[in-house]
C-alpha cells in the first residue's frame, strides 16, 4: 500500500480507491504531486511548473534559480518565512521572537498497522488492515523535529494524517499553529461544501463555488459546535450524490478547529485543516512532543454518497469501540420532553410500565434527578440524587425499569457547575475564568476546568460512584454551553493560550477512564443536541443526540446533513409529541416515526398520555423497527433525494443490509402540491443483475389504519431486476397531504 522509490524519491500511498503521491525534492522539500484515482505508477507526466514568477522569492541556497520558489510549489507541510505566502500549516516562534525555521526531509519509516496518538482519539487498525508512513523533517540547527504520519487502510477509501512536533533543541519554542493536514491541488474547479447551523438547527449543507482568496470553516467556541462542523469537502461542480469526484476532510477533534481553503494567484487551491490557530498557542519545552489531532481524508470518484460511505465504513470499522461498536442499539424512551424537570418516582414508574407495554427497551431519566435541580439554575456538579423527587433513589427508578425487562439510562452533565452548587462553593477556582474579570454564564452555568487533574478526578469519581452501583446501562453525557474566559487558575501566563486544547485533552482523559471502566454501559454524547457531534466524541461514545429539534421536517434536514460524514448508527433520533416543542408543527405520527427510524430510535414524549389508538400505532412502529433494525443500523446508507437541493421539499433515504438481501427505502414530502408532479424515485447501489421483490409497503399514515397497506400498492409482491429499479425507478403515489412519509421494503433473491 505504501512505497518509496529511492530513485525518483517518490512516496506512493495507494489502495484500490485512491493514490496519494508526494516527493522529496532536492533532498529537502516534501512536494505534493497527486491525489485521485489509483495509479499503476507515478512517473510525473505533468511536471511541476518551473517559471520565474515575480514576487515569489527564492530560498538563499537557490538565489540564482529564479524558477524555484516555495511560493508556487505544492507543499505537504506549509510554513511561512521562506517565501510561501499561502496559508501556513505550522507556525513556530523561536526564543528570539522570530518564526523563521527550516524544516528539511530527514527520513521515513513504514509501519504495519497504525500506532495510536498520545492522548487523542484516532482511527485504529489491526496490523494487516493498514500501513502507516512516518516522514521526518528536521531543522538543520537541531531545534525541531516534525513527523508527518499517513495511514492507508486496505479496502477503505480513507487516508489519515496527523503531525508530531518535537522540541529537539535546548530552548523553549512556542507553537502558534499546528495544523494536521495541508495539501495543494493544481486547480480550483471545485464547489466548497461545509455543514453550518445553530442550536436545534445543526448541519445544513452549504455548497458554493470555491472562491479566490481564503475561506474558512471554523469554531472558536472550545467545542466542535452546532454552528460549523469540522468537515469540509471540495467537489467538482458536476459532482452529485451518485457520481463525480470529491475530496473531503473530517477532523477527529471536539474543540476549536479551522478548515481553510485558499485559491491563490495562479489558480491552485490549498487546504489546511486542524486546530484553530486563532484559539491556540503552546509552549514546547526541550524534549517535549506535541501531537496534533488526526484528519480523515477521503477521495471518492462516485459522488457524495461515495464520500459518505467511505466515512461511514471507516468510522464503523476503525473509530467506534466497545460492546456497541457493531451492535444494534436499544429503543429508548426519554423523559425530557415528557416531563422536563417535573417528575418523581411515580411518573417514572408509569413511563416504565407503558414503555414495556409498547415494546420499548430502555428507560432514560434525563436532567433534574440530582441536587435540588427543579430548573436549570442550579445543582450541576452535585451528583447526588434528589430524594424529594426520587424517594427510592436512582436504584428505585432503575429497579422499576429492570423489573419490566427494560434497561435503565441516566443523564449527566459532568463538565459543568452551577453557581448555586456545593461544588462551586467549595472550589470556585475549578472553573474556567480570567483573573480579575467578570465571568460569562450560559444557561446559568460555568465550565469546569478540565485541564486540571483534580477536576478530572472529581468528575471520574462522581460518575463512577453512580455507575458502580451496576444499575445504569446507558449514560447520556451532555454539555450545554461553550467556553468563555478560557483561562486556568495557576497556569503560568505564557501557557494560558493552551487552556482550550488542554481542556479537550482533559475531557478525552476523563472519557477514556470512564468508558474503559464501564465497558457494558452504552454512552450517548450530547451537547444541547448536536453541538459536539464529531468523530472524536464517537471514539468514546458510539452515538450522539443529533439535535434538540425533534420536529420531523427539521430532522429530515438535520439527519441528512449529518449523514454526509456520520453513519445512521451514530445518530440519536426520537419520536416526539405534536405540536412539536421546538417549532410547533403538527406532523403525522408515521412521519415522525419513519424520520426517527433513520437513527438510534426512541420516543421522547409522555407515552402514558397516548390514546389507545396511538398506542397501537406505536406498537406497530416498534415491531416494524425491530424487524428492520439490523438493516437500518448496520447496513449501507444512501441519500436518494436531499432537502438541500431540487425543490427542497423532498427527502429519500435508502438502507441496504450488510448481506445486501434487504433494502428499505424511505420517501418524505414536506408540502403537498396542486397539479402534483409524479415523483419517479430511482434506487441506487443495487445489484443490476439480481432480482428484488417488494415485500412490504407503507404509504402515508398506514400504520395508524389497517395493517400493511399492501393492498393499495400495485408493486406488492412483484419482482424486478436491480437495473430496472435503478434506471427506470418506481413512482411515488399521489400525495394529498402535507408531511407525508412512505416506506418500501424489498428483498433480494438468494
Ligand atoms: C440538552 C439536551 O440536548 C436535551 O436532550 C436535554 O438532555 C437537556 N439538555 C437537559 O437539560
Amino acid at each position: 500500500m505504501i512505497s518509496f522509490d529511492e530513485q525518483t524519491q517518490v512516496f506512493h500511498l495507494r489502495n484500490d480507491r485512491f493514490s496519494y503521491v508526494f516527493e522529496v525534492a532536492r533532498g529537502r522539500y516534501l512536494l505534493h504531486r497527486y491525489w485521485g484515482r489509483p495509479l499503476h505508477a507515478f512517473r510525473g507526466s505533468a511536471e511541476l511548473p518551473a517559471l520565474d514568477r515575480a514576487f515569489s522569492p527564492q530560498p538563499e541556497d537557490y538565489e540564482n534559480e529564479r524558477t524555484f520558489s516555495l511560493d508556487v510549489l505544492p507543499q505537504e507541510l506549509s510554513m511561512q518565512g521562506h517565501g510561501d505566502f499561502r496559508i501556513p500549516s505550522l507556525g513556530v516562534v523561536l526564543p528570539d521572537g522570530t518564526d523563521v525555521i527550516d524544516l528539511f526531509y530527514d527520513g521515513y519509516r513504514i509501519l504495519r498497522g497504525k500506532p495510536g496518538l498520545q492522548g487523542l482519539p484516532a482511527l485504529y487498525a489491526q496490523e494487516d488492515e493498514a500501513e502507516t508512513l512516518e516522514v521526518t523533517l528536521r531543522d538543520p540547527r537541531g531545534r525541531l523535529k516534525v513527523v508527518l504520519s499517513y495511514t492507508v487502510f486496505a479496502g477503505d477509501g480513507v487516508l489519515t494524517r496527523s503531525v508530531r512536533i518535537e522540541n529537539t533543541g535546548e530552548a523553549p519554542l512556542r507553537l502558534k499553529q499546528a495544523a494536521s493536514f495541508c495539501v495543494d491541488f493544481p486547480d480550483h474547479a471545485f464547489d466548497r461544501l461545509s455543514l453550518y447551523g445553530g442550536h436545534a438547527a445543526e448541519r445544513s449543507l452549504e455548497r458554493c463555488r470555491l472562491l479566490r482568496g481564503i475561506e474558512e470553516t471554523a469554531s472558536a467556541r472550545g467545542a466542535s459546535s452546532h454552528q460549523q462542523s469540522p468537515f469540509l469537502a471540495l467537489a467538482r461542480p458536476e459532482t452529485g450524490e451518485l457520481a463525480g469526484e470529491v475530496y473531503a476532510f473530517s477532523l477527529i477533534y471536539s474543540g476549536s478547529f479551522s478548515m481553510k481553503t485558499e485559491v491563490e494567484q495562479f489558480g491552485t487551491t490549498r487546504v489546511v485543516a486542524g486546530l484553530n490557530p486563532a484559539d491556540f498557542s503552546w509552549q514546547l519545552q526541550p524534549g517535549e512532543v506535541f501531537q496534533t489531532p488526526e484528519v480523515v481524508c477521503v477521495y471518492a470518484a462516485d459522488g457524495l454518497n461515495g464520500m459518505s460511505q467511505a466515512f461511514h465504513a471507516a468510522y464503523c470499522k476503525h473509530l467506534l469501540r466497545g460492546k456497541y461498536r457493531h451492535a444494534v442499539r436499544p429503543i429508548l424512551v426519554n423523559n425530557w420532553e415528557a416531563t422536563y424537570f417535573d417528575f418523581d418516582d411515580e411518573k417514572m414508574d408509569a413511563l416504565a410500565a407503558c414503555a414495556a407495554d409498547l415494546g420499548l427497551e430502555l428507560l432514560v431519566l434525563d436532567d433534574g434527578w440530582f441536587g435540588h435541580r427543579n430548573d436549570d439554575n442550579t445543582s450541576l456538579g452535585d451528583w447526588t440524587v434528589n430524594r424529594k423527587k426520587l424517594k427510592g433513589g436512582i436504584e428505585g427508578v432503575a429497579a422499576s425499569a429492570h423489573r419490566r425487562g427494560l434497561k435503565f439510562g441516566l443523564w449527566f452533565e459532568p463538565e459543568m457547575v452551577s453557581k448555586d452548587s456545593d461544588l462551586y462553593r467549595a472550589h470556585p477556582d475549578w472553573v474556567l475564568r480570567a483573573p480579575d474579570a467578570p465571568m460569562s454564564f450560559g444557561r446559568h452555568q460555568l465550565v469546569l476546568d478540565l485541564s486540571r487533574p483534580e477536576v478530572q478526578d472529581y468528575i471520574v469519581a462522581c460518575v463512577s460512584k453512580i455507575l458502580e452501583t451496576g444499575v445504569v446501562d446507558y449514560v447520556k453525557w451532555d454539555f450545554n454551553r461553550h467556553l468563555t474566559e478560557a483561562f486556568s487558575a495557576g497556569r503560568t501566563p505564557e501557557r494560558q493560550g493552551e487552556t482550550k486544547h488542554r481542556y479537550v485533552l482533559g475531557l478525552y482523559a476523563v472519557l477514556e477512564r470512564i468508558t474503559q471502566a464501564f465497558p457494558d454501559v452504552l454512552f450517548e454524547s450530547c451537547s444541547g443536541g448536536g453541538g459536539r457531534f464529531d468523530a472524536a466524541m464517537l471514539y468514546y461514545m458510539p452515538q450522539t443526540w443529533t439535535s434538540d429539534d425533534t420536529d420531523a421536517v427539521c430532522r429530515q434536514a438535520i439527519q441528512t446533513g449529518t449523514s454526509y460524514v456520520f453513519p445512521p448508527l451514530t445518530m440519536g433520533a426520537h419520536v416526539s409529541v405534536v405540536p412539536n416543542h421546538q417549532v410547533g408543527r403538527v406532523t403525522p405520527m408515521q412521519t415522525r416515526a419513519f424520520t426517527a427510524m433513520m437513527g438510534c430510535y426512541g420516543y421522547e414524549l409522555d407515552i402514558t398520555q397516548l390514546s389507545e389508538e396511538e398506542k397501537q400505532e406505536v406498537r406497530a412502529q416498534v415491531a416494524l423497527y425491530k424487524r428492520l433494525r439490523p438493516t437500518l443500523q448496520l447496513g449501507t446508507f444512501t441519500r436518494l433525494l436531499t432537502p438541500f437541493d431540487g425543490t427542497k421539499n423532498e427527502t429519500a433515504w435508502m438502507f441496504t443490509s450488510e448481506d445486501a438481501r434487504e433494502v428499505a427505502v424511505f420517501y418524505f414530502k414536506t408540502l403537498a402540491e396542486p397539479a402534483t408532479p409524479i415523483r419517479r424515485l430511482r434506487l441506487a447501489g443495487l445489484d443490476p443483475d439480481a432480482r428484488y421483490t417488494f415485500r412490504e409497503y407503507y404509504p402515508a399514515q398506514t400504520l395508524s389504519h389497517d395493517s400493511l397497506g399492501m393492498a393499495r400498492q400495485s408493486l406488492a409482491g412483484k419482482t424486478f431486476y436491480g437495473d430496472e429499479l435503478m434506471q427506470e425507478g418506481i413512482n411515488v403515489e399521489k400525495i394529498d397531504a402535507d408531511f407525508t412519509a412512505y416506506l418500501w421494503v424489498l428483498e433480494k433473491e438468494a
Side-chain angles (χ1 to χ4, degrees):
M1 284 187 280
I2 298 178
S3 62
F4 180 62
D5 184 328
E6 290 287 347
Q7 213 185 348
T8 58
Q9 298 280 292
V10 163
F11 290 101
H12 191 158
L13 290 66
R14 182 175 61 169
N15 65 13
D16 60 1
R17 310 289 282 278
F18 65 86
S19 280
Y20 185 97
V21 179
F22 59 97
E23 70 173 7
V24 183
R26 298 169 191 239
R28 291 182 169 179
Y29 303 106
L30 295 184
L31 302 185
H32 181 77
R33 296 304 303 268
Y34 175 83
W35 187 17
R37 287 178 191 269
L39 302 178
H40 289 107
F42 181 86
R43 301 257 163 78
S45 57
E47 284 176 16
L48 290 175
L51 298 170
D52 178 355
R53 301 288 204 182
F55 291 89
S56 289
Q58 284 70 51
E60 189 169 349
D61 290 352
Y62 305 103
E63 185 199 337
N64 295 324
E65 204 178 330
R66 288 181 45 167
T67 58
F68 183 79
S69 173
L70 300 179
D71 199 27
V72 296
L73 291 167
Q75 312 281 347
E76 286 292 308
L77 176 78
S78 60
M79 291 185 74
Q80 275 177 343
H82 283 310
D84 180 356
F85 294 106
R86 294 164 292 175
I87 312 166
S89 56
L90 180 65
V92 182
V93 182
L94 299 167
D96 64 7
T98 65
D99 65 354
V100 181
I101 196 160
D102 283 314
L103 274 177
F104 295 152
Y105 173 73
D106 187 55
Y108 76 96
R109 60 180 188 148
I110 296 172
L111 312 167
R112 283 164 64 81
K114 182 173 188 296
L117 304 191
Q118 183 64 40
L120 283 164
L123 298 194
Y124 57 83
Q126 306 295 330
E127 286 217 334
D128 58 350
E129 289 178 327
E131 267 180 19
T132 298
L133 167 67
E134 293 188 344
V135 181
T136 302
L137 300 108
R138 282 181 195 274
D139 155 37
R141 293 177 55 195
R143 295 168 296 190
L144 192 65
K145 171 179 160 190
V146 172
V147 179
L148 310 182
S149 289
Y150 303 80
T151 299
V152 186
F153 298 77
D156 282 305
V158 299
L159 165 80
T160 60
R161 202 186 94 161
S162 65
V163 180
R164 218 161 56 230
I165 303 152
E166 185 179 339
N167 182 339
T168 46
E170 275 150 27
L173 303 172
R174 182 167 69 83
L175 302 180
K176 61 177 183 174
Q177 173 160 24
S180 307
F181 187 68
C182 166
V183 70
D184 287 316
F185 294 94
D187 70 295
H188 64 284
F190 289 116
D191 286 351
R192 188 182 196 281
L193 281 68
S194 60
L195 297 168
Y196 72 95
H199 173 239
E202 297 88 344
R203 289 173 294 284
S204 281
L205 185 72
E206 179 83 294
R207 179 172 184 161
C208 298
R209 195 62 202 252
L210 180 64
L211 299 178
R212 283 185 184 269
I214 295 176
E215 294 177 86
E216 183 176 24
T217 298
S219 162
R221 293 170 169 269
S224 46
S225 92
H226 310 81
Q227 287 71 15
Q228 311 229 309
S229 287
F231 161 78
L232 174 75
L234 296 181
R236 296 296 179 190
E238 66 278 10
T239 295
E241 286 291 347
L242 295 169
E245 280 193 306
V246 55
Y247 298 85
F249 312 89
S250 165
L251 186 65
I252 308 185
Y253 190 61
S254 312
S256 301
F257 71 90
S258 159
M259 294 177 136
K260 284 188 184 156
T261 47
E262 178 174 6
V263 179
E264 49 77 86
Q265 56 183 335
F266 307 113
T268 74
T269 303
R270 172 165 292 176
V271 173
V272 169
L275 296 169
N276 188 337
D279 221 12
F280 168 82
S281 90
W282 196 272
Q283 291 289 315
L284 203 60
Q285 297 299 327
E288 281 182 355
V289 173
F290 182 84
Q291 172 67 59
T292 74
E294 181 166 282
V295 175
V296 181
C297 311
V298 165
Y299 165 77
D302 46 357
L304 299 177
N305 273 303
M307 168 197 81
S308 300
Q309 286 164 4
F311 280 128
H312 295 184
Y315 286 166
C316 286
K317 274 195 267 175
H318 303 290
L319 179 74
L320 305 187
R321 299 184 300 167
K323 182 174 164 180
Y324 285 94
R325 182 185 79 90
H326 192 68
V328 294
R329 312 288 165 75
I331 305 175
L332 64 78
V333 57
N334 179 305
N335 76 311
W336 180 242
E337 286 200 21
T339 67
Y340 295 103
F341 294 103
D342 186 16
F343 59 84
D344 57 16
D345 301 85
E346 272 176 34
K347 182 71 211 174
M348 292 308 296
D349 191 54
L351 279 176
C354 186
D357 172 48
L358 297 176
L360 311 184
E361 299 164 326
L362 163 66
L363 174 76
V364 178
L365 174 56
D366 210 278
D367 192 357
W369 56 266
F370 50 91
H372 52 278
R373 190 162 165 93
N374 295 318
D375 54 38
D376 58 14
N377 279 297
T378 172
S379 298
L380 292 170
D382 297 346
W383 300 105
T384 44
V385 70
N386 178 343
R387 295 254 169 200
K388 280 197 194 128
K389 281 185 182 175
L390 302 174
K391 296 190 183 52
I394 293 301
E395 286 85 347
V397 193
S400 142
H402 289 151
R403 196 165 56 239
R404 296 183 164 91
L406 304 172
K407 291 179 185 297
F408 172 69
L410 195 60
W411 180 96
F412 289 91
E413 194 178 359
E415 299 160 67
M416 299 290 165
V417 63
S418 305
K419 201 169 175 194
D420 175 19
S421 68
D422 293 341
L423 180 63
Y424 184 73
R425 283 183 280 274
H427 297 287
D429 57 325
W430 277 14
V431 300
L432 294 175
R433 66 187 303 174
D436 306 323
M439 297 182 290
S440 303
F441 285 79
R443 209 192 185 200
H444 312 287
Q445 62 201 50
L446 298 163
V447 185
L448 287 171
D449 179 0
L450 267 76
S451 68
R452 293 174 65 150
E454 61 274 40
V455 174
Q456 297 171 19
D457 291 345
Y458 176 80
I459 292 174
V460 172
C462 291
V463 176
S464 301
K465 190 169 169 206
I466 293 171
L467 300 190
E468 274 157 10
T469 60
V471 301
V472 179
D473 309 296
Y474 158 105
V475 164
K476 179 175 173 187
W477 183 291
D478 210 343
F479 172 83
N480 281 304
R481 59 159 292 183
H482 290 147
L483 276 52
T484 53
E485 298 91 34
F487 302 103
S488 181
R491 182 157 302 135
T492 55
E494 66 280 5
R495 299 208 95 137
Q496 288 292 357
E498 301 174 13
T499 307
K500 276 191 181 165
H501 183 56
R502 286 194 183 276
Y503 178 95
V504 177
L505 295 178
L507 170 65
Y508 294 154
V510 165
L511 296 180
E512 183 70 11
R513 285 166 69 185
I514 294 179
T515 54
Q516 293 307 308
F518 300 98
D520 291 332
V521 173
L522 171 60
F523 288 87
E524 175 157 347
S525 90
C526 173
S527 170
R532 225 167 35 182
F533 203 135
D534 58 62
M537 292 307 285
L538 290 172
Y539 178 79
Y540 301 101
M541 306 188 171
Q543 60 191 63
T544 302
W545 178 226
T546 314
S547 178
D548 272 350
D549 188 342
T550 56
D551 168 65
V553 175
C554 297
R555 272 301 189 115
Q556 287 153 23
I558 291 167
Q559 292 167 201
T560 302
T562 306
S563 79
Y564 281 99
V565 194
F566 300 110
L569 179 64
T570 62
M571 296 183 208
H574 304 167
V575 176
S576 62
V577 77
V578 289
N580 172 265
H581 287 190
Q582 290 77 39
V583 296
R585 195 172 356 250
V586 176
T587 52
M589 186 82 142
Q590 175 166 309
T591 301
R592 283 176 271 151
F594 283 4
T595 304
M597 283 185 193
M598 180 203 197
C600 300
Y601 189 59
Y603 290 81
E604 187 158 339
L605 74 170
D606 190 349
I607 47 177
T608 65
Q609 298 301 307
L610 295 173
S611 67
E612 199 36 55
E613 196 187 339
E614 287 169 325
K615 284 185 181 163
Q616 262 317 104
E617 189 174 353
V618 171
R619 286 188 196 99
Q621 290 167 353
V622 169
L624 173 65
Y625 185 72
K626 284 180 180 168
R627 264 201 329 276
L628 296 179
R629 176 162 50 184
T631 297
L632 302 180
Q633 291 196 355
L634 306 177
T636 301
F637 173 78
T638 308
R639 292 175 299 272
L640 298 178
L641 297 170
T642 88
F644 305 116
D645 46 39
T647 58
K648 299 200 167 30
N649 200 24
E650 296 168 293
T651 301
W653 301 322
M654 186 175 140
F655 301 78
T656 310
S657 62
E658 285 181 283
D659 64 3
R661 292 288 306 282
E662 185 174 71
V663 176
V665 181
F666 291 89
Y667 170 84
F668 305 95
K669 181 153 179 170
T670 305
L671 297 180
E673 296 166 289
T676 182
I678 302 297
R679 162 53 73 186
R680 181 74 64 86
L681 196 57
R682 293 188 176 84
L683 310 193
L686 301 177
D687 176 351
D689 305 321
R691 287 151 52 93
Y692 295 82
T693 302
F694 282 83
R695 196 184 76 200
E696 294 172 55
Y697 172 54
Y698 302 87
Q701 278 79 284
T702 329
L703 284 166
S704 52
H705 304 303
D706 52 62
S707 52
L708 299 184
M710 291 294 277
R712 277 170 59 191
Q713 170 59 284
S714 58
L715 292 175
K718 291 194 178 155
T719 300
F720 302 88
Y721 278 100
D723 57 1
E724 186 177 354
L725 295 171
M726 292 191 289
Q727 304 307 323
E728 178 73 347
I730 58 173
N731 290 333
V732 179
E733 69 178 282
K734 185 174 172 306
I735 290 165
D736 52 11
D738 291 343
F739 317 128
T740 43
Y742 292 72
L743 165 64
W744 297 260
V745 183
L746 293 82
E747 196 170 290
K748 184 180 164 191
E749 261 177 22

